Amino acid sequence: MMRRAWAGLGLVTWVLGAAVLPVNAQENGLDNGGVPPEARRTSDPVRTAAPSMAAVALADGVELEIDGVPTEAFWLQGSLADEFVQFEPEEGVPATERTEVRVVYGPDALYVAFWAFDSDPSAVVGQLSRRDQGNYTDRVHVVVDSYFDRRTAFHFAVNPLGVKYDAYWFDDTREDSSWDAVWDGAAQISELGWTAEFRIPYSQLRFSNNPDQTWGIQFVRDVARKSEKSLWAPMTREEQGTVSRFGRLEGIEGIDSPRRLELLPYTLGRSTSQPGLVENPFYEETANEAQFGGDMKYGITGNLTLDVTVNPDFGQVEADPAQLNLSQFEVFQSERRPFFLEGANIYNFNLGMGDGSSESLFYSRRIGRAPQGWVGSDVRFADRPGLTTIAGAGKVSGKTESGWSIGTLYALTQREQAEVFTRDGEFDQRVVEPLSNYVVARVQKDFREGRTAFGFIGTGTQRDREDADLLVLRSGAYSGGFDFRHRFGNDRFEVSGYVVGTHVRGSEEAIARTQLSSARYFQRPDADHVEFDPTRTSLTGWSGQWFLGKISGGNWRFATGGQARSPGFEANDLGFMTSADYVTPWVWGQYTKPRGSTHFNRYNANVNVWSSFNFAGENTGLGGNVNGNVQFKNFWNAYAGIGRQTEALSTQLLRGGPGFLVEPNLNGWMGFSTDSRKRFNFGLNLNGGMRSESDSWRANVSPNVTWRPSGRATFRMGAFYSKNMEDRQWVRRVQGSGSGGSYYTFGRMDQQTVGLTGRIDFSFTPDISLQLYVNPFVSAGDYEEYKVVDDPRGGTYDDRLAHLQYERDRDGTVRADVDGDGEAESLGNPDFNFQQFNSNVVLRWEYRPGSALFLVWQQARDYFDQTGEFSLMDNAQNIFDQRSTNIFMVKVSYWFSP
């Protein structure tokens, strides 16, 4: 079975790689239409100040056809933007290829034309791909700060074959590529290079109602074969700014901010075929269903937009990657649903340290999550919904003329019930999720052109009280707080932070469950600063963060900051967090050469030091690392780092037991990637760590390759293999006989994991694409050398754990005398072998702007066995021997604006 699967993939590879002709300038055979006839010189001496240009109004009766060839004479009346300056690779020097841009505006849209001259037109790179994909290709961009707040902007781009890209910029430097707009763009390759045209409707922008408009604007050109990015308004990597560095577009007069109304209804048909038991009364070998819904977008004002969704569909969502979680913490999953992705930046309130942190006060995947209730131990078969139905959701978002960013969101999810068949032969219904209301409100005010900001946030979750008590869920959860940011010293320094509080309430059982959760473990026997109270019906906590540092300018950067979170802080009803009860200060320093040197394009080196302690003052972490990265002149990239953490107390390792003194650890990482301009490029990532006292270590290797066999196809494949030898892997807590209390057991686990993520992207036209995604995953863990905690704070590792004599039953169950009473207690069978295969095939056709047809095939295979044996070939064969779940979907959406 496995051999047949790989043979099929090889056939697909041959067809796409060998049978598809390259897409480049020669195969198009285009003339130089739209290029002004005069000879073009190279760029003038470099400009360093932010430029400005005047827009020209489109004359009455003049129509500009958006075909990629700006031949209309009226284009030449627009003011000229040229003299582009490199941002990469040679920052600050003139662009190697000349670019000219002209802008005109009409009563309902902004028009932009590019002339991208090229000294070697045959080398112009045009890669066909699905919209918004960051492929290897030439590209021109226009980015519009129509609020003129120096913080937000709307980004539109097109490549030489007309493939579109759009995004939304916020907080000056952060980009949200999930934002999609309805606009027109086209391009053509010519004998002198290539040209492009944009028509950007005002309905897709946000701006004031002033009779005279001044907007921020930036023009960008990418020359793929040179890895060159050049800008009209120069920027430097020494600065922390993007939108704030734009040029100015002046002279737009007499346009009205439209009252926007956009409708996007959809219809979906789904057929699901899956394995099951014949005796299961709920089993259907093939289940068919149809559903309808839609989204509405309405411009309340020129700056504020109302989004409403009814019965939202997320049918084309790509499957989450396979993961095996052996920790006590929940796994974070990225949002993939369009309604929640659009404008997500407005509601962002990061609780963690750094932009890469997943902890947030608003985690949208809480809305519509899998039902949380248990159907009961008396149930033999159950038919429970996979996701909670979102009855409706709406949000109002935007930015006022006075600088207030506003975002409010409300969602209602239905009460969900599972159909059950009990062991007594009775049919019944069991509630698995209560009717729930979710509210988020976020406001921010900018001062000093966005250099200073102050904001507030509030969230609320309200569940039906009766059902919440039945399911031991919190009936209410609320949070609120503020954040601030202030830049000073010519934008080289920044101070920022936040303070937020939470309050949850519910039945005694629900709040007891909250106190006992892995985020806090109030039941710990040695935790004198917290107390488990089974009669509580509410819990309150707070969290704060601070930052002060030099963020730009010169070669040296430095910062200090920290975070504190009280034991009672709880944000997981509508947010995402893993732990509470800590204070973590840190310091950071960096030496950077953003403009590189003789042998490097750029490089930097960093040092980090941090410590952590809980609210009892106990040391829970002290460590540091040094790391760096570099880009060479041949556009290869490399990075490396090494870190160490000293001995510290873990208050979570025993999962509600006493604090355990964990041994020091050493870890390191390194990797490299080859020149992404080549048709074939390769990357390798390595990381690992060791704890010598316990003879524990881990090693991970992750190679990845990208291959572009033609201008229509791209192959991406990333694999990983990890080996984890863990001497103190958690097994379970055992209750001793009599008054012996609890005993905490570990095993020495030998775990091996291998996985692969493969993607094939093939585009027939800029609007028709085919994507294939495959994700096989295998992980096996074999346990031996069982131990029980003896003295959790002992002076040496051997003092803390006592080895157990144990035996295995024929079914694999491990038995050991953990309390010394002569009786063996069961430790279960912790060995595991988990296998999973997920795949998606998606054909997408954007048959008109904003409207799309999807044909989707999803396949999933799963297998689990309580054996720790790892054999890659046998495991791979085994997963393909399993019966698969197949889902076929057809979805059609139609965008229109009455």
Side-chain angles (χ1 to χ4, degrees):
M1 185 74 176
M2 185 66 179
R3 289 189 295 271
R4 291 196 298 271
W6 284 111
L9 183 59
L11 178 60
V12 173
T13 302
W14 181 87
V15 170
L16 296 182
V20 176
L21 295 176
V23 176
N24 53 34
Q26 275 104 358
E27 93 172 352
N28 281 275
L30 301 171
D31 60 23
N32 62 336
V35 178
E38 62 268 32
R40 299 298 177 182
R41 52 183 169 76
T42 59
S43 294
D44 292 330
V46 67
R47 177 184 58 240
T48 57
S52 63
M53 67 184 302
V56 175
L58 190 65
D60 293 339
V62 175
E63 294 185 3
L64 299 178
E65 182 181 2
I66 306 303
D67 57 3
V69 186
T71 54
E72 295 87 351
F74 195 84
W75 277 119
L76 300 182
Q77 298 183 29
S79 59
L80 177 66
D82 59 355
E83 300 180 20
F84 279 52
V85 178
Q86 286 190 52
F87 182 70
E88 293 178 348
E90 300 290 337
E91 181 186 296
V93 305
T96 62
E97 305 292 347
R98 182 168 176 80
T99 306
E100 294 184 359
V101 187
R102 297 180 187 269
V103 178
V104 299
Y105 70 95
D108 56 0
L110 184 73
Y111 297 84
V112 182
F114 277 80
W115 287 266
F117 299 97
D118 201 298
S119 56
D120 183 7
S122 66
V124 169
V125 178
Q127 181 83 14
L128 273 177
S129 67
R130 181 173 172 173
R131 176 175 174 163
D132 288 342
Q133 285 194 331
N135 285 317
Y136 172 78
T137 184
D138 286 17
R139 190 177 275 145
V140 292
H141 313 248
V142 54
V143 196
V144 183
D145 173 14
S146 52
Y147 284 123
F148 200 49
D149 61 0
R150 303 293 190 178
R151 302 287 300 168
T152 56
F154 303 91
H155 185 156
F156 308 89
V158 69
N159 83 348
L161 300 181
V163 178
K164 295 179 181 179
Y165 175 90
D166 47 24
Y168 178 74
W169 287 82
F170 63 100
D171 288 349
D172 193 7
T173 60
R174 303 176 65 183
E175 182 181 16
D176 177 11
S177 60
S178 65
W179 179 76
D180 284 325
V182 180
W183 55 283
D184 294 319
Q188 290 279 15
I189 300 174
S190 73
E191 294 178 358
L192 297 180
W194 63 287
T195 55
E197 292 179 303
F198 297 76
R199 180 184 182 275
I200 304 170
Y202 298 141
S203 63
Q204 304 303 299
L205 304 175
R206 307 290 181 266
F207 51 90
S208 69
N209 291 316
N210 295 333
D212 298 326
Q213 299 280 335
T214 296
W215 294 349
I217 200 163
Q218 176 71 284
F219 307 115
V220 185
R221 179 180 177 184
D222 299 325
V223 181
R225 70 182 186 277
K226 300 181 180 182
S227 285
E228 180 178 314
K229 181 182 293 293
S230 58
L231 315 173
W232 175 62
M235 294 193 308
T236 171
R237 282 186 289 270
E238 292 183 0
E239 301 173 325
Q240 279 286 332
T242 299
V243 180
S244 58
R245 303 299 188 263
F246 284 8
R248 296 163 64 97
L249 178 65
E250 301 172 327
I252 300 178
E253 301 176 349
I255 66 171
D256 295 322
S257 180
R259 288 289 188 268
R260 307 171 306 278
L261 175 60
E262 302 174 16
L263 300 175
L264 186 66
Y266 80 89
T267 181
L268 171 75
R270 178 189 286 110
S271 178
T272 303
S273 175
Q274 58 189 340
L277 299 175
V278 176
E279 58 268 29
N280 183 349
F282 305 113
Y283 173 62
E284 292 182 280
E285 185 174 1
T286 301
N288 300 313
E289 61 177 313
Q291 63 188 71
F292 307 89
D295 300 336
M296 181 193 76
K297 188 186 297 288
Y298 176 68
I300 302 173
T301 69
N303 299 321
L304 296 178
T305 301
L306 169 67
D307 290 274
V308 176
T309 183
V310 177
N311 191 25
D313 163 60
F314 311 121
Q316 75 274 20
V317 170
E318 184 177 281
D320 291 320
Q323 299 183 62
L324 181 64
N325 183 17
L326 298 179
S327 76
Q328 67 270 44
F329 302 115
E330 177 186 7
V331 174
F332 177 84
Q333 300 283 9
S334 299
E335 181 60 84
R336 300 171 184 270
R337 301 172 296 180
F339 174 79
F340 292 106
L341 282 172
E342 184 174 356
N345 60 282
I346 295 178
Y347 306 93
N348 180 61
F349 196 101
N350 194 341
L351 290 175
M353 290 183 286
D355 290 341
S357 171
S358 59
E359 292 193 314
S360 177
L361 208 58
F362 175 49
Y363 177 41
S364 57
R365 288 191 66 144
R366 299 294 185 208
I367 303 173
R369 68 191 300 172
Q372 304 170 78
W374 184 44
V375 295
S377 59
D378 63 331
V379 172
R380 186 181 180 194
F381 297 106
D383 182 17
R384 58 182 297 152
L387 297 172
T388 302
T389 302
I390 302 175
K395 55 187 179 183
V396 175
S397 58
K399 191 164 189 175
T400 68
E401 295 179 27
S402 57
W404 285 96
S405 295
I406 299 173
T408 61
L409 182 147
Y410 171 77
L412 174 68
T413 60
Q414 293 181 3
R415 181 179 193 253
E416 297 289 355
Q417 296 186 95
E419 302 286 338
V420 302
F421 183 71
T422 68
R423 300 185 186 279
D424 295 332
E426 301 289 335
F427 286 94
D428 196 5
Q429 290 184 331
R430 306 282 173 89
V431 177
V432 290
E433 185 72 23
L435 179 76
S436 302
N437 298 269
Y438 301 92
V439 177
V440 183
R442 178 80 160 116
V443 295
Q444 283 183 298
K445 178 68 167 70
D446 287 345
F447 305 91
R448 301 171 57 241
E449 294 186 334
R451 294 181 177 88
T452 300
F454 194 88
F456 299 90
I457 190 171
T459 73
T461 302
Q462 187 70 45
R463 299 184 177 95
D464 177 84
R465 180 63 183 265
E466 183 179 347
D467 285 343
D469 291 350
L470 175 67
L471 299 173
V472 197
L473 299 174
R474 293 179 286 267
S475 58
Y478 311 94
S479 72
F482 68 90
D483 60 343
F484 67 93
R485 179 194 67 254
H486 175 67
R487 289 186 179 178
F488 58 98
N490 198 26
D491 286 353
R492 293 190 171 194
F493 297 86
E494 180 177 301
V495 58
S496 63
Y498 74 75
V499 175
V500 64
T502 62
H503 176 78
V504 297
R505 64 189 185 199
S507 65
E508 292 182 355
E509 293 80 5
I511 301 304
R513 184 178 181 182
T514 303
Q515 297 175 76
L516 299 174
S517 75
S518 61
R520 51 193 56 82
Y521 290 136
F522 278 10
Q523 72 274 33
R524 284 175 28 233
D526 59 347
D528 296 332
H529 64 296
V530 294
E531 179 183 0
F532 172 60
D533 181 356
T535 65
R536 296 188 67 155
T537 56
S538 66
L539 190 67
T540 301
W542 60 270
S543 179
Q545 183 172 295
W546 64 97
F547 172 93
L548 173 63
K550 180 176 183 286
I551 59 174
S552 67
N555 299 119
W556 290 96
R557 316 285 168 83
F558 51 83
T560 184
Q563 188 178 85
R565 189 172 294 175
S566 77
F569 186 79
E570 175 54 64
N572 278 319
D573 290 271
L574 193 49
F576 183 88
M577 55 166 280
T578 58
S579 58
D581 189 13
Y582 64 82
V583 180
T584 306
W586 55 266
V587 295
W588 163 80
Q590 180 187 76
Y591 179 79
T592 180
K593 288 284 286 185
R595 297 184 180 179
S597 63
T598 304
H599 303 291
F600 308 107
N601 285 336
R602 56 180 177 268
Y603 62 87
N604 65 60
N606 306 272
V607 59
N608 302 275
V609 179
W610 66 88
S611 68
S612 182
F613 49 90
N614 62 20
F615 274 57
E618 298 170 310
N619 171 36
T620 56
L622 175 63
N625 67 56
V626 292
N627 64 83
N629 60 76
V630 61
Q631 184 181 83
F632 299 94
K633 289 295 185 180
N634 63 355
F635 293 96
W636 284 43
N637 296 275
Y639 67 90
I642 187 169
R644 178 174 171 79
Q645 186 151 325
T646 65
E647 184 178 78
L649 187 72
S650 171
T651 58
Q652 299 170 323
L653 183 65
L654 299 187
R655 307 191 183 194
F660 186 92
L661 201 60
V662 298
E663 64 277 25
N665 72 75
L666 182 70
N667 59 87
W669 59 96
M670 63 181 299
F672 73 91
S673 60
T674 64
D675 186 354
S676 63
R677 299 173 300 173
K678 307 299 183 182
R679 284 186 177 270
F680 182 89
N681 55 78
F682 175 78
L684 181 65
N685 305 289
L686 304 169
N687 66 78
M690 62 178 295
R691 304 192 311 274
S692 58
E693 285 189 26
S694 60
D695 189 25
S696 298
W697 58 273
R698 58 178 175 82
N700 305 278
V701 55
S702 305
N704 62 85
V705 298
T706 301
W707 176 41
R708 298 186 304 274
S710 75
R712 299 179 184 271
T714 302
F715 292 74
R716 297 180 179 89
M717 185 171 295
F720 70 89
Y721 171 78
S722 67
K723 173 80 169 180
N724 183 18
M725 189 65 72
E726 176 56 70
D727 192 63
R728 50 171 173 77
Q729 179 62 44
W730 173 260
V731 176
R732 66 171 50 184
R733 185 184 70 171
V734 177
Q735 190 66 36
S737 59
S739 60
S742 297
Y743 295 84
Y744 308 92
T745 62
F746 294 108
R748 183 173 179 83
M749 180 187 67
D750 180 1
Q751 181 187 10
Q752 297 184 74
T753 303
V754 65
L756 182 147
T757 299
R759 301 176 188 272
I760 300 175
D761 297 292
F762 182 83
S763 294
F764 302 93
T765 73
D767 300 318
I768 303 176
S769 62
L770 178 68
Q771 292 183 306
L772 169 65
Y773 163 84
V774 294
N775 177 217
F777 177 90
V778 177
S779 184
D782 183 34
Y783 287 71
E784 56 183 14
E785 296 183 20
Y786 293 88
K787 311 167 187 70
V788 64
V789 175
D790 187 15
D791 180 4
R793 303 194 189 206
T796 68
Y797 181 76
D798 290 337
D799 292 337
R800 297 166 209 154
L801 297 171
H803 285 261
L804 294 171
Q805 298 295 323
Y806 67 93
E807 58 184 21
R808 283 185 181 269
D809 294 345
R810 297 185 63 179
D811 64 357
T813 300
V814 176
R815 298 186 182 277
D817 180 10
V818 299
D819 57 3
D821 66 353
E823 297 291 332
E825 288 84 12
S826 172
L827 302 185
N829 180 6
D831 293 347
F832 62 87
N833 188 302
F834 173 67
Q835 303 165 27
Q836 191 174 77
F837 176 86
N838 292 318
S839 67
N840 279 9
V841 180
V842 180
L843 179 66
R844 180 183 186 273
W845 175 27
E846 187 173 353
Y847 59 91
R848 65 187 302 270
S851 305
L853 167 68
F854 291 89
L855 301 178
V856 183
W857 172 32
Q858 297 178 341
Q859 184 180 104
R861 302 169 186 262
D862 295 278
Y863 178 79
F864 180 81
D865 191 15
Q866 286 193 289
T867 174
E869 296 179 3
F870 179 89
S871 172
L872 180 59
M873 296 307 297
D874 290 343
N875 291 155
Q877 179 67 51
N878 183 65
I879 188 61
F880 280 98
D881 287 341
Q882 306 304 310
R883 290 188 60 191
S884 63
T885 296
N886 291 276
I887 301 175
F888 298 89
M889 290 182 287
V890 178
K891 178 190 172 185
V892 180
S893 63
Y894 185 85
W895 179 91
F896 65 100
S897 182

